[in-house]
Amino acid sequence: MAILSTLLTALLAATAAVAHDDSPGALSRRAIHRLEARNLLSACSQKLRARELVEPRLARRAELLETHFRKRGLDALQMPILPDGNSRQPVPCILTPEVTVGPYYAEEELIRSEISEGQEGIELLLDFQFVDVKTCLPVPNAMVDIWHCNTTGTYSAFEVEHTVGESFNRGLQPTDQHGIMHMKTSFPGWYQGRATHIHLAAHINGTIDSETHTYKGGVTNHIGQVFFPEDVLEQVDVTAPYNTITVSRLRNSDDSIFLEENTGYDAVAGKPYRIPSRRKSNRS
Ligand SMILES: *[C@@H]1O[C@H](CO)[C@@H](O)[C@H](O)[C@H]1NC(C)=O
Ligand SMILES: *[C@@H]1O[C@H](CO)[C@@H](O)[C@H](O)[C@H]1NC(C)=O
């Protein structure tokens, strides 16, 4: 059965900003930074399981799932309670600002909660919580910037992609008082030389332009890429339109950016939960 819709949860641990450059000095600073962040994150592990953090996380996730169960005509009473303590738990990903913003970042994208602009593909609901590893507290009021290629591997808004003037799969959403943000998109495809990934950056202290629905100024203090478990990607590979992509998909373990991000902590988001499709009949 094809996957129609998935919920991806991740706990994203934010650390302080460092500008990106590839000099030997910068590389060693990045290695030190990652090590520090990892240590800080493990020092937070107890606090991250505290009720004050877990309860809002579960409540907001249940709210999101319920909305999508109802939309499909599914009985919300049959909605699973996704526990925080098994394979579906949010995996802490450290957002290292040293990881490259990449060649496909576009500024001043729209603040909106759905970004796929109706393109064909597996619906993907992102449920991310941002935590500051220095304080172990959620990061409220951050503006989270998401961008990724479409289901057949093309980025919008770039001349090399022949997509100037297009804005699919780009958008921003703020974190709430619990550091949680939700975004609806479509599961990304892939392109030459990269594993499947979603880019994200968090901005703070900028201003929202309520007329244009864009975000300006402020500081970008966290940049990262989120990756997916290989067994999930194998199911996506055989689903349309992903099965029309002709370039081969790199596995996470062959992706240099994954290898840089995934040292000492986990850059793979928690195993996505597959939302059942609408029941076609009342057979039981
Ligand atoms: C991805 O974007 C490209 C460029 O706009 C477009 O040609 C292609 O049809 C899109 N893929 C899907 C599945 O919509
Ligand atoms: C964001 O703004 C607050 C309040 O003006 C300030 O204290 C803080 O240092 C700013 N943060 C950054 C990273 O500029």
mmCIF file of all heavy atoms in Angstrom, residues 112-160:
data_model
loop_
_atom_site.group_PDB
_atom_site.id
_atom_site.type_symbol
_atom_site.label_atom_id
_atom_site.label_comp_id
_atom_site.label_asym_id
_atom_site.label_seq_id
_atom_site.Cartn_x
_atom_site.Cartn_y
_atom_site.Cartn_z
ATOM 1 N N ARG A 112 3.618 30.673 6.234
ATOM 2 C CA ARG A 112 2.412 29.897 5.915
ATOM 3 C C ARG A 112 2.578 28.489 6.486
ATOM 4 O O ARG A 112 3.704 28.013 6.673
ATOM 5 C CB ARG A 112 2.184 29.847 4.391
ATOM 6 C CG ARG A 112 3.394 29.356 3.605
ATOM 7 C CD ARG A 112 3.129 29.365 2.103
ATOM 8 N NE ARG A 112 4.326 28.940 1.358
ATOM 9 C CZ ARG A 112 4.346 28.714 0.061
ATOM 10 N NH1 ARG A 112 3.243 28.883 -0.649
ATOM 11 N NH2 ARG A 112 5.441 28.324 -0.555
ATOM 12 N N SER A 113 1.452 27.802 6.723
ATOM 13 C CA SER A 113 1.531 26.505 7.390
ATOM 14 C C SER A 113 1.503 25.328 6.421
ATOM 15 O O SER A 113 1.682 24.187 6.819
ATOM 16 C CB SER A 113 0.390 26.371 8.393
ATOM 17 O OG SER A 113 -0.836 26.569 7.712
ATOM 18 N N GLU A 114 1.293 25.611 5.125
ATOM 19 C CA GLU A 114 1.327 24.562 4.101
ATOM 20 C C GLU A 114 2.171 25.074 2.968
ATOM 21 O O GLU A 114 1.951 26.178 2.474
ATOM 22 C CB GLU A 114 -0.073 24.298 3.537
ATOM 23 C CG GLU A 114 -1.028 23.754 4.547
ATOM 24 C CD GLU A 114 -2.284 23.184 3.864
ATOM 25 O OE1 GLU A 114 -2.227 22.826 2.660
ATOM 26 O OE2 GLU A 114 -3.300 23.109 4.545
ATOM 27 N N ILE A 115 3.144 24.277 2.527
ATOM 28 C CA ILE A 115 4.069 24.822 1.532
ATOM 29 C C ILE A 115 4.118 24.087 0.200
ATOM 30 O O ILE A 115 4.735 24.561 -0.737
ATOM 31 C CB ILE A 115 5.506 24.941 2.107
ATOM 32 C CG1 ILE A 115 6.024 23.601 2.614
ATOM 33 C CG2 ILE A 115 5.572 26.017 3.179
ATOM 34 C CD1 ILE A 115 7.484 23.629 3.079
ATOM 35 N N SER A 116 3.470 22.921 0.081
ATOM 36 C CA SER A 116 3.689 22.128 -1.134
ATOM 37 C C SER A 116 2.921 22.654 -2.346
ATOM 38 O O SER A 116 3.158 22.205 -3.466
ATOM 39 C CB SER A 116 3.362 20.661 -0.904
ATOM 40 O OG SER A 116 1.967 20.490 -0.849
ATOM 41 N N GLU A 117 2.015 23.619 -2.107
ATOM 42 C CA GLU A 117 1.264 24.233 -3.205
ATOM 43 C C GLU A 117 0.582 23.190 -4.090
ATOM 44 O O GLU A 117 0.531 23.319 -5.314
ATOM 45 C CB GLU A 117 2.174 25.172 -4.023
ATOM 46 C CG GLU A 117 2.754 26.288 -3.177
ATOM 47 C CD GLU A 117 3.567 27.317 -3.963
ATOM 48 O OE1 GLU A 117 3.738 27.160 -5.190
ATOM 49 O OE2 GLU A 117 4.033 28.286 -3.333
ATOM 50 N N GLY A 118 0.098 22.128 -3.452
ATOM 51 C CA GLY A 118 -0.717 21.141 -4.144
ATOM 52 C C GLY A 118 0.028 20.185 -5.061
ATOM 53 O O GLY A 118 -0.592 19.451 -5.821
ATOM 54 N N GLN A 119 1.367 20.177 -4.983
ATOM 55 C CA GLN A 119 2.097 19.239 -5.846
ATOM 56 C C GLN A 119 1.824 17.801 -5.406
ATOM 57 O O GLN A 119 1.621 17.521 -4.233
ATOM 58 C CB GLN A 119 3.597 19.530 -5.780
ATOM 59 C CG GLN A 119 3.933 20.858 -6.432
ATOM 60 C CD GLN A 119 5.390 20.936 -6.843
ATOM 61 O OE1 GLN A 119 6.220 20.147 -6.422
ATOM 62 N NE2 GLN A 119 5.703 21.897 -7.691
ATOM 63 N N GLU A 120 1.863 16.898 -6.360
ATOM 64 C CA GLU A 120 1.607 15.486 -6.101
ATOM 65 C C GLU A 120 2.703 14.906 -5.194
ATOM 66 O O GLU A 120 3.875 15.215 -5.376
ATOM 67 C CB GLU A 120 1.607 14.747 -7.456
ATOM 68 C CG GLU A 120 1.233 13.288 -7.368
ATOM 69 C CD GLU A 120 1.661 12.489 -8.614
ATOM 70 O OE1 GLU A 120 2.202 13.085 -9.555
ATOM 71 O OE2 GLU A 120 1.444 11.281 -8.606
ATOM 72 N N GLY A 121 2.324 14.058 -4.242
ATOM 73 C CA GLY A 121 3.324 13.419 -3.386
ATOM 74 C C GLY A 121 2.730 12.996 -2.062
ATOM 75 O O GLY A 121 1.556 13.257 -1.794
ATOM 76 N N ILE A 122 3.529 12.348 -1.249
ATOM 77 C CA ILE A 122 3.071 11.903 0.072
ATOM 78 C C ILE A 122 2.970 13.117 0.992
ATOM 79 O O ILE A 122 3.927 13.890 1.117
ATOM 80 C CB ILE A 122 4.073 10.889 0.665
ATOM 81 C CG1 ILE A 122 4.149 9.627 -0.213
ATOM 82 C CG2 ILE A 122 3.698 10.535 2.098
ATOM 83 C CD1 ILE A 122 5.338 8.745 0.092
ATOM 84 N N GLU A 123 1.820 13.269 1.591
ATOM 85 C CA GLU A 123 1.648 14.394 2.522
ATOM 86 C C GLU A 123 2.573 14.182 3.726
ATOM 87 O O GLU A 123 2.679 13.074 4.239
ATOM 88 C CB GLU A 123 0.195 14.399 2.977
ATOM 89 C CG GLU A 123 -0.166 15.518 3.909
ATOM 90 C CD GLU A 123 -1.649 15.454 4.270
ATOM 91 O OE1 GLU A 123 -2.444 16.044 3.528
ATOM 92 O OE2 GLU A 123 -1.990 14.807 5.267
ATOM 93 N N LEU A 124 3.220 15.234 4.138
ATOM 94 C CA LEU A 124 4.139 15.120 5.274
ATOM 95 C C LEU A 124 3.828 16.225 6.283
ATOM 96 O O LEU A 124 3.816 17.409 5.934
ATOM 97 C CB LEU A 124 5.588 15.243 4.774
ATOM 98 C CG LEU A 124 6.694 15.184 5.813
ATOM 99 C CD1 LEU A 124 6.740 13.834 6.529
ATOM 100 C CD2 LEU A 124 8.055 15.450 5.166
ATOM 101 N N LEU A 125 3.548 15.805 7.506
ATOM 102 C CA LEU A 125 3.293 16.779 8.567
ATOM 103 C C LEU A 125 4.531 16.827 9.451
ATOM 104 O O LEU A 125 4.979 15.803 9.953
ATOM 105 C CB LEU A 125 2.097 16.331 9.418
ATOM 106 C CG LEU A 125 0.808 16.012 8.663
ATOM 107 C CD1 LEU A 125 -0.213 15.402 9.613
ATOM 108 C CD2 LEU A 125 0.252 17.286 8.040
ATOM 109 N N LEU A 126 5.082 18.005 9.600
ATOM 110 C CA LEU A 126 6.271 18.144 10.443
ATOM 111 C C LEU A 126 5.846 18.619 11.822
ATOM 112 O O LEU A 126 5.047 19.541 11.957
ATOM 113 C CB LEU A 126 7.246 19.159 9.837
ATOM 114 C CG LEU A 126 7.724 18.891 8.415
ATOM 115 C CD1 LEU A 126 8.616 20.029 7.921
ATOM 116 C CD2 LEU A 126 8.483 17.566 8.353
ATOM 117 N N ASP A 127 6.357 17.974 12.837
ATOM 118 C CA ASP A 127 6.045 18.310 14.224
ATOM 119 C C ASP A 127 7.389 18.440 14.942
ATOM 120 O O ASP A 127 7.963 17.447 15.361
ATOM 121 C CB ASP A 127 5.188 17.175 14.806
ATOM 122 C CG ASP A 127 4.997 17.274 16.301
ATOM 123 O OD1 ASP A 127 4.911 18.390 16.826
ATOM 124 O OD2 ASP A 127 4.937 16.210 16.956
ATOM 125 N N PHE A 128 7.910 19.642 14.984
ATOM 126 C CA PHE A 128 9.260 19.858 15.524
ATOM 127 C C PHE A 128 9.204 20.660 16.819
ATOM 128 O O PHE A 128 8.414 21.602 16.947
ATOM 129 C CB PHE A 128 10.108 20.661 14.522
ATOM 130 C CG PHE A 128 10.485 19.912 13.261
ATOM 131 C CD1 PHE A 128 10.956 20.614 12.158
ATOM 132 C CD2 PHE A 128 10.398 18.529 13.172
ATOM 133 C CE1 PHE A 128 11.326 19.956 10.985
ATOM 134 C CE2 PHE A 128 10.764 17.859 12.006
ATOM 135 C CZ PHE A 128 11.230 18.579 10.908
ATOM 136 N N GLN A 129 10.022 20.271 17.755
ATOM 137 C CA GLN A 129 10.155 21.065 18.976
ATOM 138 C C GLN A 129 11.616 21.501 19.107
ATOM 139 O O GLN A 129 12.527 20.685 18.981
ATOM 140 C CB GLN A 129 9.741 20.262 20.210
ATOM 141 C CG GLN A 129 9.777 21.111 21.483
ATOM 142 C CD GLN A 129 9.280 20.367 22.711
ATOM 143 O OE1 GLN A 129 9.525 19.178 22.860
ATOM 144 N NE2 GLN A 129 8.599 21.074 23.590
ATOM 145 N N PHE A 130 11.794 22.768 19.365
ATOM 146 C CA PHE A 130 13.140 23.330 19.486
ATOM 147 C C PHE A 130 13.498 23.538 20.949
ATOM 148 O O PHE A 130 12.742 24.133 21.709
ATOM 149 C CB PHE A 130 13.237 24.672 18.739
ATOM 150 C CG PHE A 130 13.204 24.493 17.263
ATOM 151 C CD1 PHE A 130 12.011 24.208 16.611
ATOM 152 C CD2 PHE A 130 14.361 24.564 16.509
ATOM 153 C CE1 PHE A 130 11.971 23.998 15.245
ATOM 154 C CE2 PHE A 130 14.335 24.370 15.131
ATOM 155 C CZ PHE A 130 13.141 24.083 14.501
ATOM 156 N N VAL A 131 14.679 23.049 21.309
ATOM 157 C CA VAL A 131 15.139 23.155 22.692
ATOM 158 C C VAL A 131 16.544 23.744 22.685
ATOM 159 O O VAL A 131 17.377 23.374 21.862
ATOM 160 C CB VAL A 131 15.155 21.749 23.342
ATOM 161 C CG1 VAL A 131 15.784 21.793 24.706
ATOM 162 C CG2 VAL A 131 13.744 21.180 23.412
ATOM 163 N N ASP A 132 16.794 24.662 23.575
ATOM 164 C CA ASP A 132 18.122 25.255 23.711
ATOM 165 C C ASP A 132 18.974 24.341 24.595
ATOM 166 O O ASP A 132 18.633 24.118 25.752
ATOM 167 C CB ASP A 132 17.966 26.648 24.350
ATOM 168 C CG ASP A 132 19.281 27.401 24.406
ATOM 169 O OD1 ASP A 132 20.349 26.751 24.477
ATOM 170 O OD2 ASP A 132 19.245 28.641 24.386
ATOM 171 N N VAL A 133 20.054 23.819 24.062
ATOM 172 C CA VAL A 133 20.844 22.864 24.852
ATOM 173 C C VAL A 133 21.569 23.530 26.035
ATOM 174 O O VAL A 133 22.015 22.846 26.943
ATOM 175 C CB VAL A 133 21.894 22.080 24.023
ATOM 176 C CG1 VAL A 133 21.228 21.058 23.137
ATOM 177 C CG2 VAL A 133 22.806 22.979 23.245
ATOM 178 N N LYS A 134 21.700 24.852 25.985
ATOM 179 C CA LYS A 134 22.383 25.514 27.109
ATOM 180 C C LYS A 134 21.482 25.588 28.327
ATOM 181 O O LYS A 134 21.943 25.495 29.459
ATOM 182 C CB LYS A 134 22.818 26.927 26.690
ATOM 183 C CG LYS A 134 23.929 26.878 25.651
ATOM 184 C CD LYS A 134 25.030 27.883 25.955
ATOM 185 C CE LYS A 134 26.265 27.616 25.110
ATOM 186 N NZ LYS A 134 26.354 28.507 23.946
ATOM 187 N N THR A 135 20.167 25.776 28.087
ATOM 188 C CA THR A 135 19.239 25.928 29.210
ATOM 189 C C THR A 135 18.322 24.718 29.369
ATOM 190 O O THR A 135 17.628 24.595 30.369
ATOM 191 C CB THR A 135 18.343 27.166 28.984
ATOM 192 O OG1 THR A 135 17.628 26.965 27.749
ATOM 193 C CG2 THR A 135 19.159 28.442 28.890
ATOM 194 N N CYS A 136 18.289 23.838 28.382
ATOM 195 C CA CYS A 136 17.367 22.693 28.313
ATOM 196 C C CYS A 136 15.913 23.156 28.239
ATOM 197 O O CYS A 136 15.000 22.402 28.556
ATOM 198 C CB CYS A 136 17.529 21.732 29.497
ATOM 199 S SG CYS A 136 19.215 21.221 29.832
ATOM 200 N N LEU A 137 15.686 24.394 27.832
ATOM 201 C CA LEU A 137 14.323 24.922 27.763
ATOM 202 C C LEU A 137 13.881 25.068 26.312
ATOM 203 O O LEU A 137 14.706 25.257 25.417
ATOM 204 C CB LEU A 137 14.256 26.298 28.447
ATOM 205 C CG LEU A 137 14.459 26.310 29.955
ATOM 206 C CD1 LEU A 137 14.579 27.740 30.461
ATOM 207 C CD2 LEU A 137 13.321 25.575 30.664
ATOM 208 N N PRO A 138 12.549 25.001 26.084
ATOM 209 C CA PRO A 138 12.049 25.206 24.717
ATOM 210 C C PRO A 138 12.398 26.609 24.214
ATOM 211 O O PRO A 138 12.590 27.527 25.011
ATOM 212 C CB PRO A 138 10.530 25.083 24.871
ATOM 213 C CG PRO A 138 10.296 24.421 26.156
ATOM 214 C CD PRO A 138 11.461 24.757 27.040
ATOM 215 N N VAL A 139 12.505 26.754 22.892
ATOM 216 C CA VAL A 139 12.799 28.048 22.272
ATOM 217 C C VAL A 139 11.502 28.617 21.682
ATOM 218 O O VAL A 139 11.081 28.204 20.606
ATOM 219 C CB VAL A 139 13.853 27.896 21.149
ATOM 220 C CG1 VAL A 139 14.210 29.249 20.552
ATOM 221 C CG2 VAL A 139 15.098 27.177 21.653
ATOM 222 N N PRO A 140 10.833 29.549 22.396
ATOM 223 C CA PRO A 140 9.603 30.122 21.845
ATOM 224 C C PRO A 140 9.923 31.250 20.865
ATOM 225 O O PRO A 140 11.043 31.774 20.863
ATOM 226 C CB PRO A 140 8.900 30.688 23.088
ATOM 227 C CG PRO A 140 10.016 31.004 24.034
ATOM 228 C CD PRO A 140 11.178 30.100 23.708
ATOM 229 N N ASN A 141 8.929 31.602 20.032
ATOM 230 C CA ASN A 141 9.050 32.748 19.127
ATOM 231 C C ASN A 141 10.233 32.721 18.172
ATOM 232 O O ASN A 141 10.751 33.771 17.802
ATOM 233 C CB ASN A 141 9.157 34.057 19.924
ATOM 234 C CG ASN A 141 7.922 34.286 20.753
ATOM 235 O OD1 ASN A 141 6.820 34.035 20.292
ATOM 236 N ND2 ASN A 141 8.109 34.724 21.983
ATOM 237 N N ALA A 142 10.688 31.526 17.825
ATOM 238 C CA ALA A 142 11.702 31.467 16.774
ATOM 239 C C ALA A 142 10.931 31.338 15.469
ATOM 240 O O ALA A 142 9.846 30.775 15.441
ATOM 241 C CB ALA A 142 12.604 30.256 16.967
ATOM 242 N N MET A 143 11.441 31.901 14.394
ATOM 243 C CA MET A 143 10.779 31.765 13.107
ATOM 244 C C MET A 143 11.522 30.674 12.349
ATOM 245 O O MET A 143 12.695 30.827 12.031
ATOM 246 C CB MET A 143 10.801 33.101 12.358
ATOM 247 C CG MET A 143 9.942 33.118 11.144
ATOM 248 S SD MET A 143 8.197 32.707 11.441
ATOM 249 C CE MET A 143 7.490 34.312 11.790
ATOM 250 N N VAL A 144 10.849 29.562 12.118
ATOM 251 C CA VAL A 144 11.517 28.412 11.514
ATOM 252 C C VAL A 144 11.270 28.408 10.009
ATOM 253 O O VAL A 144 10.145 28.473 9.541
ATOM 254 C CB VAL A 144 11.028 27.086 12.138
ATOM 255 C CG1 VAL A 144 11.789 25.910 11.538
ATOM 256 C CG2 VAL A 144 11.194 27.125 13.645
ATOM 257 N N ASP A 145 12.353 28.370 9.285
ATOM 258 C CA ASP A 145 12.379 28.496 7.840
ATOM 259 C C ASP A 145 12.632 27.089 7.286
ATOM 260 O O ASP A 145 13.626 26.457 7.639
ATOM 261 C CB ASP A 145 13.591 29.402 7.530
ATOM 262 C CG ASP A 145 13.494 30.139 6.238
ATOM 263 O OD1 ASP A 145 12.791 29.680 5.358
ATOM 264 O OD2 ASP A 145 14.182 31.191 6.127
ATOM 265 N N ILE A 146 11.711 26.600 6.463
ATOM 266 C CA ILE A 146 11.825 25.242 5.915
ATOM 267 C C ILE A 146 11.949 25.328 4.394
ATOM 268 O O ILE A 146 11.229 26.098 3.765
ATOM 269 C CB ILE A 146 10.536 24.423 6.237
ATOM 270 C CG1 ILE A 146 10.253 24.363 7.739
ATOM 271 C CG2 ILE A 146 10.547 23.037 5.580
ATOM 272 C CD1 ILE A 146 10.948 23.281 8.492
ATOM 273 N N TRP A 147 12.848 24.566 3.821
ATOM 274 C CA TRP A 147 12.891 24.469 2.350
ATOM 275 C C TRP A 147 13.431 23.102 1.946
ATOM 276 O O TRP A 147 14.263 22.520 2.613
ATOM 277 C CB TRP A 147 13.675 25.621 1.716
ATOM 278 C CG TRP A 147 15.165 25.659 1.901
ATOM 279 C CD1 TRP A 147 16.117 25.336 0.979
ATOM 280 C CD2 TRP A 147 15.885 26.094 3.087
ATOM 281 N NE1 TRP A 147 17.382 25.536 1.510
ATOM 282 C CE2 TRP A 147 17.271 25.993 2.787
ATOM 283 C CE3 TRP A 147 15.508 26.527 4.357
ATOM 284 C CZ2 TRP A 147 18.263 26.313 3.723
ATOM 285 C CZ3 TRP A 147 16.492 26.851 5.291
ATOM 286 C CH2 TRP A 147 17.843 26.745 4.966
ATOM 287 N N HIS A 148 12.884 22.574 0.871
ATOM 288 C CA HIS A 148 13.339 21.271 0.369
ATOM 289 C C HIS A 148 12.913 21.109 -1.086
ATOM 290 O O HIS A 148 12.055 21.842 -1.581
ATOM 291 C CB HIS A 148 12.803 20.124 1.238
ATOM 292 C CG HIS A 148 11.321 20.018 1.309
ATOM 293 N ND1 HIS A 148 10.585 19.354 0.367
ATOM 294 C CD2 HIS A 148 10.433 20.501 2.221
ATOM 295 C CE1 HIS A 148 9.298 19.416 0.702
ATOM 296 N NE2 HIS A 148 9.175 20.125 1.819
ATOM 297 N N CYS A 149 13.525 20.151 -1.760
ATOM 298 C CA CYS A 149 13.186 19.943 -3.168
ATOM 299 C C CYS A 149 11.802 19.309 -3.269
ATOM 300 O O CYS A 149 11.283 18.790 -2.271
ATOM 301 C CB CYS A 149 14.244 19.080 -3.863
ATOM 302 S SG CYS A 149 14.306 17.377 -3.303
ATOM 303 N N ASN A 150 11.211 19.340 -4.442
ATOM 304 C CA ASN A 150 9.881 18.757 -4.583
ATOM 305 C C ASN A 150 9.975 17.236 -4.722
ATOM 306 O O ASN A 150 11.060 16.654 -4.641
ATOM 307 C CB ASN A 150 9.060 19.461 -5.672
ATOM 308 C CG ASN A 150 9.468 19.116 -7.089
ATOM 309 O OD1 ASN A 150 10.366 18.318 -7.316
ATOM 310 N ND2 ASN A 150 8.785 19.722 -8.050
ATOM 311 N N THR A 151 8.827 16.603 -4.937
ATOM 312 C CA THR A 151 8.796 15.137 -4.897
ATOM 313 C C THR A 151 9.568 14.496 -6.046
ATOM 314 O O THR A 151 9.818 13.301 -6.035
ATOM 315 C CB THR A 151 7.339 14.642 -4.917
ATOM 316 O OG1 THR A 151 6.663 15.296 -6.002
ATOM 317 C CG2 THR A 151 6.626 15.023 -3.642
ATOM 318 N N THR A 152 9.932 15.317 -7.050
ATOM 319 C CA THR A 152 10.775 14.769 -8.108
ATOM 320 C C THR A 152 12.164 15.426 -8.132
ATOM 321 O O THR A 152 12.880 15.344 -9.131
ATOM 322 C CB THR A 152 10.072 14.886 -9.487
ATOM 323 O OG1 THR A 152 9.530 16.204 -9.628
ATOM 324 C CG2 THR A 152 8.938 13.885 -9.603
ATOM 325 N N GLY A 153 12.533 16.078 -7.034
ATOM 326 C CA GLY A 153 13.922 16.505 -6.859
ATOM 327 C C GLY A 153 14.289 17.908 -7.302
ATOM 328 O O GLY A 153 15.477 18.224 -7.418
ATOM 329 N N THR A 154 13.301 18.784 -7.540
ATOM 330 C CA THR A 154 13.601 20.145 -8.004
ATOM 331 C C THR A 154 13.298 21.178 -6.922
ATOM 332 O O THR A 154 12.274 21.099 -6.242
ATOM 333 C CB THR A 154 12.758 20.457 -9.262
ATOM 334 O OG1 THR A 154 13.034 19.460 -10.251
ATOM 335 C CG2 THR A 154 13.083 21.821 -9.838
ATOM 336 N N TYR A 155 14.191 22.169 -6.782
ATOM 337 C CA TYR A 155 13.947 23.285 -5.859
ATOM 338 C C TYR A 155 13.249 24.422 -6.608
ATOM 339 O O TYR A 155 13.563 24.670 -7.774
ATOM 340 C CB TYR A 155 15.265 23.839 -5.321
ATOM 341 C CG TYR A 155 15.892 23.016 -4.224
ATOM 342 C CD1 TYR A 155 16.839 22.040 -4.522
ATOM 343 C CD2 TYR A 155 15.560 23.222 -2.893
ATOM 344 C CE1 TYR A 155 17.435 21.281 -3.521
ATOM 345 C CE2 TYR A 155 16.154 22.473 -1.882
ATOM 346 C CZ TYR A 155 17.083 21.509 -2.206
ATOM 347 O OH TYR A 155 17.665 20.773 -1.211
ATOM 348 N N SER A 156 12.377 25.126 -5.901
ATOM 349 C CA SER A 156 11.756 26.301 -6.505
ATOM 350 C C SER A 156 12.727 27.486 -6.423
ATOM 351 O O SER A 156 13.735 27.421 -5.718
ATOM 352 C CB SER A 156 10.453 26.637 -5.774
ATOM 353 O OG SER A 156 10.709 26.952 -4.429
ATOM 354 N N ALA A 157 12.405 28.528 -7.150
ATOM 355 C CA ALA A 157 13.056 29.840 -7.029
ATOM 356 C C ALA A 157 14.495 29.932 -7.537
ATOM 357 O O ALA A 157 15.200 30.884 -7.211
ATOM 358 C CB ALA A 157 12.988 30.349 -5.590
ATOM 359 N N PHE A 158 14.969 28.950 -8.321
ATOM 360 C CA PHE A 158 16.343 29.019 -8.805
ATOM 361 C C PHE A 158 16.457 28.831 -10.311
ATOM 362 O O PHE A 158 15.821 27.955 -10.894
ATOM 363 C CB PHE A 158 17.224 27.992 -8.077
ATOM 364 C CG PHE A 158 17.719 28.541 -6.766
ATOM 365 C CD1 PHE A 158 16.907 28.512 -5.644
ATOM 366 C CD2 PHE A 158 18.957 29.154 -6.676
ATOM 367 C CE1 PHE A 158 17.327 29.066 -4.442
ATOM 368 C CE2 PHE A 158 19.386 29.708 -5.486
ATOM 369 C CZ PHE A 158 18.575 29.669 -4.364
ATOM 370 N N GLU A 159 17.307 29.680 -10.894
ATOM 371 C CA GLU A 159 17.488 29.652 -12.327
ATOM 372 C C GLU A 159 18.020 28.302 -12.813
ATOM 373 O O GLU A 159 17.538 27.764 -13.801
ATOM 374 C CB GLU A 159 18.454 30.776 -12.726
ATOM 375 C CG GLU A 159 18.278 31.187 -14.162
ATOM 376 C CD GLU A 159 19.053 32.448 -14.495
ATOM 377 O OE1 GLU A 159 19.171 33.334 -13.604
ATOM 378 O OE2 GLU A 159 19.542 32.539 -15.635
ATOM 379 N N VAL A 160 19.002 27.743 -12.078
ATOM 380 C CA VAL A 160 19.555 26.449 -12.524
ATOM 381 C C VAL A 160 18.496 25.356 -12.521
ATOM 382 O O VAL A 160 18.642 24.335 -13.202
ATOM 383 C CB VAL A 160 20.754 25.965 -11.656
ATOM 384 C CG1 VAL A 160 21.994 26.768 -11.947
ATOM 385 C CG2 VAL A 160 20.414 25.937 -10.183
#
